[in-house]
């Protein structure tokens, strides 16, 4: 008897789960496995895939070695991620700390800073294209008022954070720096998580520190930051995955080409072009898998390092 | 409060549903297939002010018909290729598609489109090949077979601001040396501060035009080799990059990128940011509009002119890169007969010159055949917009060369532009940039050729 009832409840559960399971199998598991298989083929969607062994991967290795196409895309992606993730984490924490202070109109400020992250990516990208237009944009106009030369932004291949470039006359802010700036505008998503975490820090810790004579900075450094570290870690991992997959804004600002001179050709755009513009499904699959491996390796490294700097209140030390 | 929310939500839902139904109904009555006629599903990429022009052509065709009924569907231009491919792979393609990317060879090679000789009679095909302009024929052919029917060509030439040239005592350039001299006279290289106006600045995309004007060819069909590193193309790119060396790559970049895409009154020639600029025939109508606005305000209308691309001393006159709009019929289309009728009606083939002349005048397109140009309706259009004549004359020239019809042509085209990007914005030596592009494109073309 019990047997049958159990069976029935399992069946009921399965039938409720079925739509989701079917979706998972068809839309996630199947493409996942298929793309791995396709990465060892030459495939253009119309003719059946032809096995070519590891050719796609050797092509990737070659391009990585020469720094062309795929190599350029890897560089652009890493450059963008390496700047946008730490900057948005820092900015997010600073904003959250300031917005946790008891000032008048706090709710208004919180809304204002969060607002940009609900603006659709396409709309905000076009807005930034106008703001950062080197000829007629507002940003360069404001810079000119204080006598500063406006950078070329989306029109320039310069890389501000690439120090050797400063000495070869190719310094200044270029297209990728503009993308980083754009990503900082959407920092509200991070900020809101920090705000919640800050509200969760026990006041007693601050009071005890104050009694011991700790100033604002010390309290921030020795209490706020360690208590936020699990959230920082979460944002670091999510932000990194997000940055490595950046597509919409890049597609919009470069009109889908990675212009100028391939300086905004990031990996996901590169995959898109290879697959859907040049019909190289096999090669695009290989790039996608390489992207997955890169993301996994970096994430694992972050998890490894987290043991040293992330503090969990509930965990046994 | 809680109780009131639900009725409000229901009312809102009803309103949304009513509006949606009304909208859906309106569009469906316009393109509802009449009894006894078969539907022809037509995908195109025209939006904005072009879309009503296209829909009017479809309506005129439908009015002229008792067998077929065309339903036009506007697709965003960027993803038309992708959607087309997915529809063919998914075996539910439209009946006819209009495109302007160099994809005929790729699609033909993979059997995604139907060769025209399967739709038309042998007589019609024979008639067509003599009827089309050489460039229009080439745009639609792959391995000597017609796969696409061109309905309009895009030709580029050099526009100039007559007043600015006169101010500097210059006449419109006839040679490359004159173009350089004029550009320098109008905007002398100045170390202090950015320029407000340039005489001329080359756009990387235009390597395809200048390469041909310099006498080069990007592909050799005999040897099946990419020849983008041809000496003459290297010379063309090196000349283009000379502007970056004169003014500084960063200056050129910030001025140049995306300029040509600017529509209507924001076109930089109208804003006075350039004295000379290379662009296509579609600017002729915009010039007329800008002049009309000035006249309506009581100002003296600005004067613009156009000349063929000025060649260097050993270059080719009246030359350039040409592309076109063309119709293709996907494999597996349900109504290829209807598609073929509509294609003839719009392009003007087989005695349809009158409808084509009307379509080309309305859309600002260059006809695919001299006999459409000669039609009184189009001649009237030329009288109204005299600047258009230069483009029409160029269209007939065999020196207007399209992107080579090889599988992987889109990759070749983009790769050469990327090489020009590198040379102009990063000052990579022209030969180096083009050699690398040639090698990569050759590899891709060989790989694409294996696909069946």
């Amino acid at each position: 008897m019990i047997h049958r009832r159990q069976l029935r409840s399992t069946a009921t559960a399965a039938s409720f789960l079925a739509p989701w399971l079917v979706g998972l199998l068809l839309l996630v598991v199947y493409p996942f496995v298929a793309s791995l298989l396709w990465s060892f083929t030459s495939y253009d969607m119309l003719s059946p895939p032809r096995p070519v062994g590891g050719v796609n991967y050797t092509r990737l290795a070659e391009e990585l070695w020469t720094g062309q196409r795929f190599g350029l895309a890897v560089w652009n992606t890493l450059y963008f991620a390496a700047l946008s993730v730490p900057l948005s984490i820092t900015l997010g924490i600073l904003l959250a700390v300031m917005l946790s202070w008891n000032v008048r109109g706090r709710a208004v400020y919180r809304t204002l800073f969060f607002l940009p992250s609900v603006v659709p990516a396409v709309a905000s990208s076009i807005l930034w294209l106008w703001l950062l237009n080197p000829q007629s944009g507002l940003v360069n106009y404001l810079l000119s008022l204080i006598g500063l030369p406006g950078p070329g932004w989306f029109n320039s291949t310069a890389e501000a954070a690439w120090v050797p470039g400063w000495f070869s006359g190719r310094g200044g802010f270029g297209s990728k720096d503009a993308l980083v700036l754009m990503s900082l505008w959407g920092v509200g998503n991070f900020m809101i998580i920090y705000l919640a975490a800050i509200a969760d820090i026990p006041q007693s810790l601050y009071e005890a520190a104050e009694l011991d004579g700790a100033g604002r900075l010390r309290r921030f450094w020795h209490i706020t930051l360690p208590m936020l570290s699990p959230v920082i870690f979460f944002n670091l991992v999510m932000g990194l995955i997000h940055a490595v997959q950046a597509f919409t804004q890049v597609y919009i600002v470069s009109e889908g080409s990675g212009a100028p001179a391939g300086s905004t050709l990031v990996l996901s755009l590169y995959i898109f072009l290879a697959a859907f513009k040049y019909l190289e499904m096999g090669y695009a699959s290989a790039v996608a898998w390489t992207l997955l491996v890169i993301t996994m390796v970096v994430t694992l490294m972050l998890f490894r390092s987290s043991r040293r700097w992330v503090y969990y209140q509930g965990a046994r030390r | 409060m809680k109780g009131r929310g639900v009725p409000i939500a229901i009312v809102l839902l009803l309103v949304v549903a009513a509006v949606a139904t009304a909208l859906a109904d309106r569009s469906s009555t316009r393109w509802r297939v009449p009894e006894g006629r078969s539907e022809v599903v037509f995908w195109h990429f025209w939006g904005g002010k072009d879309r009503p022009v296209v829909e009017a052509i479809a309506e005129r065709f439908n009015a002229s018909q008792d067998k077929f009924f065309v339903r036009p569907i506007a697709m965003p231009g960027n993803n038309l290729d992708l959607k087309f491919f997915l529809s063919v792979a998914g075996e539910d393609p439209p009946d006819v598609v209009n495109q302007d990317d160099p994809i005929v060879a790729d699609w033909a090679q993979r059997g995604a489109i139907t060769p025209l000789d399967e739709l038309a009679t042998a007589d019609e095909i024979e008639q067509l090949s003599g009827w089309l302009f050489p460039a229009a024929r080439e745009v639609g052919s792959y391995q000597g077979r017609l796969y696409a029917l061109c309905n309009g060509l895009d030709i580029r030439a050099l526009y100039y601001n007559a007043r600015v040239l006169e101010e500097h005592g210059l006449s419109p350039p006839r040679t490359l040396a004159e173009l350089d001299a004029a550009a320098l006279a109008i905007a002398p290289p100045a170390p202090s501060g950015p320029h407000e106006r340039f005489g001329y600045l080359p756009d990387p995309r235009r390597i395809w035009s200048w390469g041909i004007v310099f006498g080069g060819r990007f592909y050799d069909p005999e040897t099946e080799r990419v020849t983008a590193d041809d000496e003459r193309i290297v010379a063309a790119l090196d000349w283009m990059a000379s502007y970056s060396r004169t003014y500084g790559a960063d200056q050129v970049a910030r001025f140049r990128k995306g300029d040509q895409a600017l529509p209507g009154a924001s076109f930089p020639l109208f804003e006075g940011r350039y004295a000379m600029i290379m662009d296509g025939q579609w600017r002729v109508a915009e010039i007329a509009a800008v002049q009309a606005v000035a006249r309506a305000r009581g100002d003296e209308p600005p004067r613009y002119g156009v000349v063929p691309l000025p060649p260097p001393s050993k270059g080719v006159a009246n030359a350039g890169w040409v592309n076109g709009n063309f119709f293709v019929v996907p494999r597996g289309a349900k109504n290829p007969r209807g598609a073929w009728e509509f294609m003839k009606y719009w392009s003007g083939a087989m005695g349809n010159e009158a409808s084509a002349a009307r379509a080309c005048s309305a859309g600002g397109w260059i006809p695919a055949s001299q006999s459409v140009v000669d039609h009184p309706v189009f001649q009237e259009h030329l009288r109204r917009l005299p600047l258009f004549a230069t483009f029409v004359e160029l269209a007939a020239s065999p020196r207007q060369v399209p992107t080579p019809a090889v599988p992987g042509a889109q990759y070749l085209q983009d790769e050469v532009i990327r090489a020009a990007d590198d040379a102009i914005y990063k000052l990579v030596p022209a030969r180096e940039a083009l050699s690398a592009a040639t090698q990569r494109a050759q590899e891709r073309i060989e790989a694409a050729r294996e696909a069946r």
Side-chain angles (χ1 to χ4, degrees):
Chain A
M1 264 338 227
I2 293 167
H3 224 72
R4 188 181 289 171
R5 200 189 299 159
Q6 223 169 24
L7 211 67
R8 199 190 296 155
S9 67
T10 312
T12 315
S15 65
F16 274 110
L17 283 173
W20 181 82
L21 276 176
V22 169
L24 179 82
L25 286 175
L26 278 181
L27 302 176
V28 179
V29 177
Y30 168 68
F32 192 75
V33 176
S35 70
L36 180 61
L37 296 178
W38 286 340
S39 74
F40 295 99
T41 66
S42 166
Y43 179 39
D44 62 17
M45 287 193 286
L46 284 182
S47 22
R50 256 180 328 115
V52 290
V55 165
N56 290 327
Y57 289 97
T58 46
R59 182 175 155 200
L60 284 183
E62 248 171 65
E63 289 178 341
L64 191 63
W65 180 249
T66 56
Q68 289 177 337
R69 317 311 310 139
F70 175 68
L72 186 66
V74 169
W75 165 252
N76 288 337
T77 309
L78 292 182
Y79 182 98
F80 174 70
L83 282 187
S84 83
V85 177
L87 283 178
S88 48
I89 285 179
T90 316
L91 191 67
I93 295 175
L94 285 179
L95 281 176
V97 168
M98 285 194 278
L99 290 175
S100 68
W101 294 342
N102 224 342
V103 287
R104 271 184 69 178
R106 192 166 68 156
V108 177
Y109 290 126
R110 285 181 179 185
T111 315
L112 280 182
F113 280 108
F114 184 67
L115 215 52
S117 43
V118 293
V119 175
V122 174
S124 71
S125 304
I126 289 173
L127 185 73
W128 277 99
L129 265 183
W130 283 108
L131 285 175
L132 294 180
N133 183 312
Q135 298 296 319
S136 51
L138 185 66
V139 173
N140 278 11
Y141 171 71
L142 293 177
L143 287 175
S144 75
L145 289 186
I146 50 171
L148 285 175
W153 299 118
F154 290 117
N155 287 16
S156 164
T157 58
E159 291 162 345
W162 180 242
V163 178
W166 299 353
F167 305 102
S168 61
R170 307 201 359 84
F173 291 90
S175 52
K176 282 192 287 292
D177 306 306
L179 282 174
V180 171
L181 195 66
M182 251 172 83
S183 74
L184 292 185
W185 194 58
V187 82
N189 269 330
F190 285 158
M191 183 199 77
I192 217 85
I193 300 175
Y194 294 126
L195 261 176
I198 288 174
D200 226 24
I201 301 175
Q203 273 304 312
S204 55
L205 294 179
Y206 288 111
E207 283 159 10
E210 228 166 314
L211 283 178
D212 288 343
R216 264 208 164 154
L217 216 59
R218 285 211 137 182
R219 289 198 303 261
F220 172 73
W221 191 253
H222 290 289
I223 298 173
T224 313
L225 267 189
M227 296 298 282
L228 280 184
S229 62
V231 179
I232 296 176
F233 178 58
F234 171 79
N235 277 342
L236 182 63
V237 173
M238 297 313 284
L240 185 86
I241 292 173
H242 206 73
V244 167
Q245 294 181 348
F247 179 79
T248 313
Q249 60 274 49
V250 185
Y251 187 87
I252 299 291
V253 301
S254 73
E255 287 163 11
S257 69
S263 62
T264 58
L265 185 74
V266 290
L267 276 170
S268 41
L269 182 61
Y270 188 61
I271 294 171
F272 176 81
L273 291 177
F276 297 115
K277 194 165 184 202
Y278 306 130
L279 309 174
E280 299 188 281
M281 239 353 139
Y283 175 69
S285 300
V287 181
W289 272 88
T290 314
L291 174 62
L292 177 74
V293 170
I294 294 176
T295 316
M296 262 169 58
V297 168
V298 177
T299 312
L300 279 178
M301 277 161 54
L302 287 179
F303 267 92
R304 269 278 162 86
S305 77
S306 74
R307 287 179 208 157
R308 285 195 216 148
W309 60 272
V310 178
Y311 168 73
Y312 292 102
Q313 259 182 301
R316 233 184 275 161
R317 300 218 91 192
Chain B
M1 279 308 267
K2 241 183 194 172
R4 214 184 290 159
V6 176
I8 291 177
I10 290 174
V11 168
L12 266 180
L13 254 177
L14 284 177
V15 169
V16 170
V19 170
T21 324
L23 284 178
D25 204 42
R26 217 187 60 183
S27 69
S28 71
T29 47
R30 187 168 175 203
W31 301 110
R32 188 179 291 153
V33 187
E35 200 71 27
R37 297 189 29 196
S38 63
E39 185 185 47
V40 179
V41 178
F42 165 45
W43 285 9
H44 65 86
F45 56 79
W46 282 288
K49 65 179 170 47
D50 292 328
R51 188 170 162 180
V53 176
V54 168
E55 291 180 346
I57 297 170
E59 271 176 339
R60 284 201 294 275
F61 172 78
N62 290 339
S64 76
Q65 272 286 321
D66 54 6
K67 269 169 89 178
F68 304 112
F69 187 89
V70 166
R71 186 160 62 91
I73 299 174
M75 296 265 172
N78 256 349
N79 290 327
L80 183 59
D81 286 8
L82 170 60
K83 288 201 166 120
F84 169 81
F85 244 74
L86 294 177
S87 77
V88 173
E91 295 178 2
D92 187 22
D95 297 305
V96 56
V97 178
N98 199 285
Q99 244 300 1
D100 67 349
D101 288 336
I103 40 67
V104 169
D106 265 304
W107 294 6
Q109 169 86 7
R110 291 172 169 89
I113 49 177
T114 315
L116 298 190
D117 52 34
E118 290 182 17
L119 302 169
T121 61
D123 254 10
E124 284 182 316
I125 293 294
E126 166 123 23
Q127 216 179 312
L128 257 186
S129 60
W131 182 82
L132 290 166
F133 278 138
R137 197 165 50 234
E138 223 178 307
V139 158
S141 305
Y142 175 55
Q143 293 185 333
R145 214 168 164 193
L146 263 184
Y147 279 86
L149 181 55
C150 182
N151 60 306
L153 291 169
D154 283 339
I155 301 281
R156 284 136 198 98
L158 191 72
Y159 287 97
Y160 59 87
N161 184 326
R163 187 183 53 79
V164 175
L165 290 189
E166 281 161 19
E167 275 172 11
H168 290 83
L170 299 160
S171 51
R174 310 221 162 269
T175 65
L176 199 74
E178 284 178 22
L179 172 63
D180 284 340
L184 278 179
I186 292 163
S192 60
H195 282 80
E196 294 293 315
R197 167 187 290 157
F198 278 97
Y200 175 76
L201 280 186
D203 180 334
R205 291 181 302 159
R206 303 305 187 205
I207 178 64
W208 278 92
S209 296
W210 288 116
I212 293 159
V213 172
F214 271 66
R217 281 291 186 280
F218 291 86
Y219 184 78
D220 181 358
E222 298 282 300
T223 59
E224 301 193 327
R225 304 291 302 173
V226 174
T227 51
D229 54 354
D230 179 289
E231 283 309 315
R232 287 158 293 190
I233 298 175
V234 170
L237 183 53
D238 189 58
W239 166 75
M240 289 168 81
S242 72
Y243 280 77
S244 297
R245 294 193 291 268
T246 304
Y247 294 112
D250 209 45
Q251 261 256 54
V252 171
R254 74 175 45 194
F255 224 78
R256 191 61 259 195
K257 189 196 152 231
D259 254 349
Q260 299 235 339
L262 293 173
S266 54
F267 185 45
L269 184 74
F270 302 152
E271 289 198 328
R273 297 202 283 125
Y274 293 91
M276 294 171 283
I277 199 165
M278 185 206 291
D279 211 0
Q281 78 278 353
W282 47 87
R283 299 294 185 186
V284 170
E286 291 178 2
I287 286 179
V290 166
Q291 289 169 332
V293 168
R295 258 185 233 110
R297 268 204 311 252
D299 298 344
E300 193 196 335
R303 286 175 296 125
Y304 302 103
V306 65
V307 286
L309 301 180
S313 58
K314 282 188 189 143
V316 190
N318 295 330
W321 174 76
V322 58
N323 68 329
N325 291 109
F326 50 80
F327 292 106
V328 288
V329 177
R331 274 270 178 230
K334 288 174 206 74
N335 196 351
R337 296 272 131 235
W340 177 237
E341 286 306 314
F342 181 56
M343 287 157 71
K344 286 191 287 187
Y345 179 86
W346 186 334
S347 66
M350 315 301 148
N352 286 298
E353 279 83 1
S355 53
R358 197 168 162 191
C360 285
S361 312
W365 301 304
I366 296 175
S369 166
Q370 187 63 42
S371 59
V372 179
V373 172
D374 293 338
H375 192 275
V377 170
F378 196 77
Q379 286 297 316
E380 173 55 33
H381 175 66
L382 287 181
R383 260 189 299 281
R384 231 166 0 99
L385 298 170
L387 287 187
F388 219 87
T390 307
F391 294 95
V392 174
E393 279 159 28
L394 287 173
S397 161
R399 295 171 202 145
Q400 294 289 327
V401 184
T403 305
V406 284
Q410 182 74 62
Y411 189 89
L412 167 63
Q413 186 174 307
D414 293 352
E415 198 60 36
V416 169
I417 293 171
R418 285 192 279 261
D421 261 359
D422 284 346
I424 290 170
Y425 297 142
K426 289 183 178 170
L427 295 177
V428 175
R431 188 182 309 276
E432 191 184 306
L434 285 168
S435 298
T438 301
Q439 196 195 333
R440 276 198 294 270
Q442 183 70 36
E443 282 167 16
R444 295 278 67 71
I445 284 175
E446 274 162 25
R449 214 182 267 126
E450 283 168 30
R452 293 268 166 202

